[in-house]
Amino acid sequence: MSALRQRPVPTRGRGGEQRTQQSPLPPPMQEVYNIIPVHDLLADHPSLQYPEVRAVAAALLRSAFNLPKPPFIAFATQMDLMDWLGVSFGFQKDNVRNQREHLVLHLANSQMRLQPPPTNHEELDPRVLRRFRQKLLQNYTSWCSFLGVKSQLHLSTRRGNSNDLTRELLYVSLYLLIWGEAANLRFAPELLSYIYHHMAMELNKFVEQHVDEFTGRPFVPSISGDCAFLKCIVMPFYQTIKTEVDSSRNGTAPHSAWRNYDDINEYFWSKRCFKSLTWPIDYGCNFFDTVDKNKRVGKTGFVEQRSFWNVFRSFDRLWVLLILFLQASIIVAWSGTEHLWEALEERDVQVELLTVFITWASLRFLQSVLDAGTQYSLVSKETLWLGIRMVLKSMVALTWIVVFGVFYGRIWSEKNADGRWSFEANQRIVTFLEAVFVYVIPELLSLLLFLVPWVRNWIEGLDWVVLSWLTWWFHSRIFVGRGLREGLVDNIRYSLFWFVVLVWKFSFSYFLQIKPLVAPTKALLSLSGVRYNWHEFFGSSNRIAVVLLWMPVVLIYFIDLQIWYSVFSSFVGATIGLFSHLGEIRNMEQLRLRFQFFASAMQFNLMPEDQLLSPKATLVKKLRDAIHRLKLRYGLGQPYKKIESSQVEATRFALIWNEIVISLREEDLISDREVELMELPPNCWNIRVIRWPCFLLCNELLLALSQAKELANERDMRLWVKICKNEYGRCAVIEAYDSVKHLLLTIIKYGTEEYSIVLKLFQEIDFNVQNGKLTEAYRMAVLQKIHAKLVSLVDLLVKQKNDLSQAVNLLQALYELCIREFPKMKRSIFQLSEEGLAPKNPAADEGLLFENAIKFPDAEDADFYKQLRRLGTILNSKDSMHNVPLNLEARRRIAFFSNSVFMNMPHAPNVEKMIAFSVLTPYYDEEVLYKKGTLQDENEDGISTLFYLQKIYEDEWRNFMERMYREGMNDGDDIWLTKPRDLRLWASYRGQTLSRTVRGMMYYYRALKMLYFLDSASEMDIRTGIQQISSQHSLNQNHGLVDGTKPPTAKKLSRAVSGVTLLFKGHEYGCALMKFTYVVTCQLYGRQKAKGDSRAEEILYLMKNNEALRVAYVDEVQLGRDEVEYYSVLVKYDQQLQREVEIYRIRLPGTLKLGEGKPENQNHAIIFTRGDAIQTIDMNQDNYFEEALKMRNLLEEFKTNYGIRKPTILGVRENVFTGSVSSLAWFMSAQETSFVTLGQRVLANPLKVRMHYGHPDVFDRFWFLTRGGISKASRVINISEDIFAGFNCTLRGGNVTHHEYIQVGKGRDVGLNQISMFEAKVASGNGEQVLSRDVYRLGHRLDFFRMFSFFYTTVGHYFNTMMVVLTVYTFLWGRLYLALSGVESEAKNNSVSNEALGTILNQQFIIQLGLFTALPMIIENSLEHGFLPAVWDFVKMQMQLASFFYTFSMGTRTHFFGRTILHGGAKYRATGRGFVVEHKRFAENYRLYARSHFVKAIELGVILAVYASHSPLAKDSFVYIAMTISSWFLVVSWIMSPFVFNPSGFDWLKTVYDFDDFMNWIWSRGMFSEADKSWEIWWYEEQDHLRTTGLWGKLLEIILDLRFFFFQYGIVYQLGIAGGSTSIVVYLLSWIYVIVAVGIYVVIAYARDKYAAKEHIYYRVVQLVVTTLTVLVIVLLLEFTAFKFIDLVTSLMAFIPTGWGLISIAQVLRPFLQSTVVWETVVSLARLYDILFGVIVIAPVALLSWLPGFQSMQTRILFNEAFSRGLQISRIISGKKSTA
């Protein structure tokens, strides 16, 4: 950043003259400041050149003069209004300083943007302040209105009252000061409103100098003094929240047992807060933790209860629709008619359909019971009416059930009595329908309001008491979730979408799911005399079989709407993408075709247009814009002609384009040679046309030459028209001609005869060209010979050999060609010398022509050689340069950027007038820069991270080395000695490190400085500027490597000062800092500094190199033994003092982390951000310079209405940059990319339910900071903190949009274990969302169709994924039941079409698995890269086993989502963002996946095996395969994926070592404290969730575990020893086997413990006795009973599951069993089972490892080719090393 330090100091005032380039630095300031020195307006700082800044600071000073002086303190004259508030109300000094700068910056920025501009720039415009006050205090005023409390904002209605300006300043400043010191209370916005309300009241009394009614003296605020606000107001609330959090036992206690942030906040949604808390606050009231827990206020507003019923409770309307349609379609299908309408015409069917209303009433009753069952703890003395409503709702629902039931019964009794549908019977139907009408009145009313959404919004916006009474029955009155309806147009769009989806789904379900099942069901029910293979408890009806047949179908019926949503949203998303012009420029070839319009498009979109006086976009202007965009997009009207005539526009474009190219070079994505081919050089050498980049002009000159040869005898015009058909051809011809002319006149000495000859020759050619006589005068065929000689000449000059004789020969040859062969008309020597084309003195020897006239250019003249190389490229290039640039990432970025410039986006304002913004990145303790050790350490395969990166990013490594050589490195092997930091940075920029994120975000700053320069620079600045850059830039390049020779120039310049930076005048950075701040919140930076952690040094290094970077951290100051004070601290690196300086230090009420870590970290630093917008960026993100140029366009979106509201969150597209690392990373990034592009595009438009999914969205900062911040932080429930910002935004009436003309990079996890942890975290987070109040409220407050969209795109997606897996389970268990019971064989004999049914079901799974993940991916890919590449990508993915991965991750999601809802246990999982090159041990994989995948897969495998051996259908292998193939696929992928995607997963030696390691881990006893050391610790940890779960969770777990006993029940009757008996005794006797087996195990275990060590012989005796007895028993059984030897094997299938079931139940009952003798046996048996499972899992892995070829195949599947090759080579080398 050397350029930044030598920055000139600008003059003050807008248009002062620029000072000279290197003026002295100002003396250091006394007081440290953040962005502007507000404390010293006379300081020489570039931002103080703006009168707006001075105006706001002056207004604050002036306003303080008229205020009453605070008592007990001397108020100095230089103190302003902020100081006055700070002193009067006891705010901290640094809080006051921070908020002063915040306010000054914001108001100054707003005044700069004001339209029309203010008349006096030196004064604060009241409009600016009024708008800010309205926005900042909007939430407060609506809260007052909601509660019916008078607002404390006392403002006069007359405009222009000077007193009002002071008042408004006081009100906004007070709010900002409260907010700035509120710490954790910022998560409770209505609590802040309560505090603000009373402090504003005191402020009014103080300012108006009321008399205190208690003391009779002038009123003074109730709190003042040092830190008074923190100690008296913030700390009591903080302490209460902390006490509640402590009682949550680290989040493991049930949510209903403690109050989270939301409960604390929602207490202030009712008037009771005024009664109980009062003001000054009564700390003894039952809200605070000073009161005993039983007497304290409990949960408020909502109680989060763990239960799957929440899915029904929150989305009851959706389930009611699905259940009622299912019932109706079964009734219709059961009638058995061929056509649907025939059934509907039958009166019986019509009447039966009326039962849906009974069902509906029953569902209402269920809902009311669930409401009462989960929310009963909300009822207290203060909320009695809530309890009354719960009871009434249940009673009313019951009444309706009875009414409908009675009326329905009467219809049938009348019909049966009359024997037909008589008039009386029909009358009773009418009576029933009348009752129905009364029942659906509320639904009709809501339908009416749905059709006129604005009426509903208006009604909900009114805070009338009458309305709250009227709606009391339907829902509680809450502050959020009012007025959520969208506009009519949006309403129609998303309703239409869902209408089509639902029609399709219901047709599909009726005709392909329900109707085909009716016949087999009737046949099964009519089967009589079925002989069951076992003891049948329920008589011999086949009802259980029917239920099992229907179960999977019904489950699929409930979840397939997710598939249809996926399909339809994909097509809708693709259509919207097409209309947004996405993917029109997909590659460099398409960019070449459009490059000539590119400059105009960039000028149109990225450069500000002259602001007219009317700021509003009129309709005519919008139309004109649209037409202009159309012209640009399709090249109508040749806009590039304009570019050539307007040199400034072309130069401006060149500056931007070249800066983009330079940034790509700095990132090592392109080489020096590619920079030359891609940059737009400035005009020099008197060239008359725009000099397009070389890669566009390739081959054009040769084409023109061949055209000239073809058309040699045509007229000039025809030839020229043909050449001009291609703009690049025209430019190449003119540029080549002008360059050759300039070159020849440069290398021939001026003043020599040869010089005049050459000049004359060119003049003659020019004359012929002007008169259109070129083809008449010259032979066009000779041009190709001339061309060849010119190529040789340029080559000679480029090599700098300075071979005079060769140069003379070439010039003479050229002279001969031009004089003798080229002209058609022959001329004598005399004529030539007369015309000045031959030497005047013919006597002189002709051979000496040019001999003394050549002057080789100076070797130091780098600029000349650069132009020469360009000329050489134009003359010489035969290939079409399609592979420039070579790097795929560079090509993708350029293609995306160039495409986006043609997309619709708002016009860019001037940088001065743009919306200011901040970027905030939370950082904990991840990597900042990779350390040397990290990069060099080799894993067991001898692969280091650096080697891995060099192979994965081979071309980037080459470019990096080229750059290092250019910067002075001599030997590549010395890189660790000479350039260690550069190397570490290079590697870090390819990982997911903080340095990468910081580099990316600082591009905003760089872009803003450049754009500000371009906005303010004159034409002259720009013209001279580009020449200056060009000459500097060419010195910069190490050109010598053209021929492998070293460069002649010794001058070297650092890259940091390349490009536009050279032209800056000094005040660019002042403006850029006012518009952009970057705060990284490094929570532990203070600790890291104290410990001397290398991370602290690296963070300091980042600050040193990025002047706009600020670091916020939490500082812990030890006071006494136990007393610690916590501070929020902001630091920066002072470029003048050359050290880190502390800017602000604001004390916190206590430790930072009460809730989830990340949102708390963001929240403490948000007070240091600035601007109207804030972009949330995670630590794994990146940004690109060319994208940063579009930021000011994006921010303009905040001014546009989307629907009926302006946006509050701007969604931004992400590009997942980790896709190239391995195949897994590619699958992950493909899935992620389709979600962050196509998925979110549809959510934002037309569905209007896009929330906030992680980063890089841009928030409306002031809207959010008054409404709870940019994330929620309650422990556990808000574990997916980001999405709750979206929920909160939607509930509070915000609007979220999605914009795809700008993108931000994002890293994803790259190894299977990392990905699984990430999936687990997200799935657990979704499990918690299901319980949350936000989801419940959105499910009820959104209209019907938006609720559908919301469900299927958030929790519904995870719920349905889980249901898919459950469907596989029910299908297989059902099949097993049918096979073992004997129903299947009976049905087969009676030819019930069972096979058909099996195959129907199976196709369902295939559709489900495939479409879920593939379709959106393929469609988005087709849109952006073309259909064939998308299909090829998909095929390639399948070959790399992507389906295995997607099926596996489905298992992960299912397991964690289900477990979280049932038992809790969601926690933040740090996934680690490193590269995955090392092999993961088997034991580690087993620990991670045993319970979530392996055990479940083994269970399904056992079911499939038992089914295969006992089902008559399985005898027909085709039917068996068709029916179970997808289930087998599930089993295989769940067992094998962790090994397929594990580096060196099929290496035989590693497999052997892994198994040894696994066995050691299993048998090591619990002396260790970590799960990875001891099986026992791990086993206990795996059942942690069962300790914290509630009673229902335990019961359900036991019920689910009972399924394992079914194997025994089913199989024992099939054994030979059973002798065909179906008596219950057979089953009971079989338990003897279980008891004996456990007994034998206990005896042996006891003997081993007692004798094995010391009296080994006894141990052997016990073993012998047990073995002998067992053999004896088996022999006796074989001899005297029907026992067969095969029964031994079969019975294993029966009894092993039983054992597992017993262990699982014992785990649930652990509290009762742990103290008994039984527990030891349970633990020992569990260990045996884990060994068994481990052996089952590792067996196929061992087999594949043993077979040759699998290992190399697996490496190829897992990594790209380069790495696979590298791995093989390094293995050979390491093999050689070891043999040596």
Side-chain angles (χ1 to χ4, degrees), residues 1059-1114:
V1060 190
T1061 320
L1062 291 166
L1063 313 182
F1064 289 169
K1065 304 200 181 70
H1067 42 249
E1068 286 80 6
Y1069 85 115
C1071 186
L1073 280 170
M1074 283 183 69
K1075 298 296 176 183
F1076 168 71
T1077 325
Y1078 185 24
V1079 180
V1080 178
T1081 162
C1082 307
Q1083 196 177 330
L1084 305 177
Y1085 181 56
R1087 270 190 221 169
Q1088 288 165 343
K1089 278 197 294 189
K1091 285 194 300 199
D1093 190 330
S1094 64
R1095 288 190 180 93
E1097 285 168 43
E1098 284 149 11
I1099 290 169
L1100 180 63
Y1101 170 77
L1102 292 178
M1103 279 197 281
K1104 194 172 178 175
N1105 285 289
N1106 299 290
E1107 66 177 334
L1109 175 64
R1110 304 286 179 266
V1111 168
Y1113 66 93
V1114 177

Side-chain angles (χ1 to χ4, degrees), residues 728-796:
Y728 304 135
R730 179 182 78 92
C731 290
V733 169
I734 296 175
E735 183 177 346
Y737 176 72
D738 287 351
S739 300
V740 168
K741 183 172 167 181
H742 184 87
L743 171 67
L744 292 177
L745 294 174
T746 306
I747 63 170
I748 297 171
K749 287 178 190 164
Y750 181 70
T752 58
E753 197 171 16
E754 286 90 338
Y755 185 87
S756 58
I757 290 173
V758 172
L759 190 60
K760 186 77 184 94
L761 184 64
F762 278 115
Q763 283 168 354
E764 190 174 283
I765 293 173
D766 288 344
F767 175 78
N768 282 322
V769 169
Q770 278 164 10
N771 293 333
K773 294 183 176 170
L774 191 70
T775 47
E776 280 178 37
Y778 298 108
R779 291 195 181 88
M780 293 288 124
V782 182
L783 280 174
Q784 292 189 334
K785 291 184 186 173
I786 295 174
H787 172 258
K789 293 293 175 206
L790 282 171
V791 167
S792 308
L793 179 65
V794 171
D795 276 356
L796 178 73

Side-chain angles (χ1 to χ4, degrees), residues 1304-1539:
V1304 174
K1306 186 177 185 77
R1308 271 275 164 250
D1309 308 288
V1310 292
L1312 186 71
N1313 295 6
Q1314 291 177 349
I1315 290 172
S1316 296
M1317 279 173 163
F1318 171 74
E1319 294 269 14
K1321 178 193 151 195
V1322 176
S1324 306
N1326 266 277
E1328 291 294 337
Q1329 283 168 40
V1330 171
L1331 323 179
S1332 72
R1333 64 191 74 207
D1334 304 73
V1335 166
Y1336 175 80
R1337 283 169 186 162
L1338 284 166
H1340 283 258
R1341 299 290 171 124
L1342 291 175
D1343 63 52
F1344 189 68
F1345 291 122
R1346 268 176 91 200
M1347 177 269 296
F1348 262 84
S1349 311
F1350 173 64
F1351 176 72
Y1352 284 106
T1353 54
T1354 50
V1355 293
H1357 177 78
Y1358 282 82
F1359 180 74
N1360 289 325
T1361 305
M1362 182 182 71
M1363 296 293 276
V1364 172
V1365 176
L1366 280 182
T1367 310
V1368 178
Y1369 265 85
T1370 48
F1371 173 61
L1372 292 180
W1373 276 103
R1375 285 277 140 204
L1376 188 67
Y1377 175 91
L1378 295 177
L1380 292 178
S1381 62
V1383 174
E1384 199 171 66
S1385 52
E1386 291 281 341
K1388 191 168 188 269
N1389 300 340
N1390 295 352
S1391 74
V1392 175
S1393 56
N1394 249 354
E1395 297 106 324
L1397 180 79
T1399 20
I1400 285 175
L1401 277 174
N1402 201 60
Q1403 282 162 352
Q1404 281 293 329
F1405 294 138
I1406 290 170
I1407 287 177
Q1408 185 76 30
L1409 298 177
L1411 277 180
F1412 240 26
T1413 47
L1415 192 75
M1417 221 153 57
I1418 295 174
I1419 287 187
E1420 180 58 25
N1421 232 344
S1422 311
L1423 175 68
E1424 298 200 16
H1425 306 120
F1427 180 67
L1428 288 175
V1431 171
W1432 171 235
D1433 269 358
F1434 182 69
V1435 170
K1436 224 160 43 176
M1437 275 188 173
Q1438 296 315 313
M1439 286 157 74
Q1440 290 190 322
L1441 306 181
S1443 299
F1444 269 58
F1445 166 71
Y1446 290 131
T1447 311
F1448 186 81
S1449 69
M1450 192 167 79
T1452 313
R1453 276 181 255 158
T1454 298
H1455 175 76
F1456 286 99
F1457 179 76
R1459 196 172 82 176
T1460 304
I1461 292 184
L1462 269 185
H1463 310 300
K1467 56 176 183 274
Y1468 181 81
R1469 295 166 206 279
T1471 54
R1473 295 184 168 132
F1475 301 103
V1476 177
V1477 278
E1478 80 276 12
H1479 169 83
K1480 290 274 182 276
R1481 292 292 178 88
F1482 175 75
E1484 188 179 337
N1485 280 330
Y1486 187 82
R1487 282 192 291 277
L1488 265 178
Y1489 306 119
R1491 299 296 178 259
S1492 56
H1493 293 81
F1494 296 161
V1495 171
K1496 291 177 177 152
I1498 290 168
E1499 176 190 342
L1500 292 176
V1502 169
I1503 295 176
L1504 286 164
V1506 172
Y1507 180 65
S1509 57
H1510 291 97
S1511 160
L1513 284 183
K1515 304 290 181 284
D1516 178 347
S1517 54
F1518 173 75
V1519 173
Y1520 176 72
I1521 290 169
M1523 220 154 67
T1524 59
I1525 185 164
S1526 65
S1527 308
W1528 274 116
F1529 180 76
L1530 189 85
V1531 171
V1532 172
S1533 63
W1534 280 9
I1535 288 182
M1536 293 304 292
S1537 291
F1539 309 103

Side-chain angles (χ1 to χ4, degrees), residues 1117-1165:
V1117 180
Q1118 298 283 344
L1119 295 182
R1121 185 180 295 167
D1122 298 325
E1123 209 180 332
V1124 183
E1125 277 186 2
Y1126 296 89
Y1127 290 88
S1128 254
V1129 182
L1130 185 73
V1131 293
K1132 72 171 183 179
Y1133 185 85
D1134 192 306
Q1135 301 286 355
Q1136 295 172 3
L1137 303 176
Q1138 292 288 304
R1139 62 182 172 81
E1140 175 192 299
V1141 290
E1142 191 176 284
I1143 310 170
Y1144 305 121
R1145 168 176 288 269
I1146 297 171
R1147 188 175 162 194
L1148 297 170
T1151 175
L1152 173 80
K1153 187 175 178 289
L1154 295 186
E1156 288 299 327
K1158 186 173 141 192
E1160 294 281 16
N1161 194 5
Q1162 280 176 329
N1163 175 57
H1164 103 89

Side-chain angles (χ1 to χ4, degrees), residues 1266-1309:
T1266 58
R1267 289 169 176 80
I1270 52 173
S1271 45
K1272 281 195 169 191
S1274 299
R1275 186 68 63 89
V1276 181
I1277 192 89
N1278 294 148
I1279 190 149
S1280 301
E1281 71 293 317
D1282 304 327
I1283 195 158
F1284 283 95
F1287 293 166
N1288 188 35
C1289 172
T1290 306
L1291 279 169
R1292 289 175 180 266
N1295 187 9
V1296 189
T1297 56
H1298 184 65
H1299 307 279
E1300 297 201 80
Y1301 52 77
I1302 183 168
Q1303 64 174 0
V1304 174
K1306 186 177 185 77
R1308 271 275 164 250
D1309 308 288

Side-chain angles (χ1 to χ4, degrees), residues 61 98 170 369 524 528 636 642 925 930 1177 1223 1237 1259 1642:
L61 256 174
N98 180 30
L170 280 168
V369 169
L524 258 182
S528 52
L636 309 170
K642 180 167 148 268
D925 64 350
Y930 287 131
I1177 290 290
S1223 59
T1237 51
F1259 290 78
V1642 170

Side-chain angles (χ1 to χ4, degrees), residues 1558-1574:
F1558 172 71
M1559 293 311 285
N1560 291 339
W1561 171 72
I1562 286 271
W1563 287 111
S1564 64
R1565 296 285 166 177
M1567 63 194 103
F1568 302 104
S1569 59
E1570 289 170 7
D1572 57 350
K1573 303 281 193 308
S1574 149

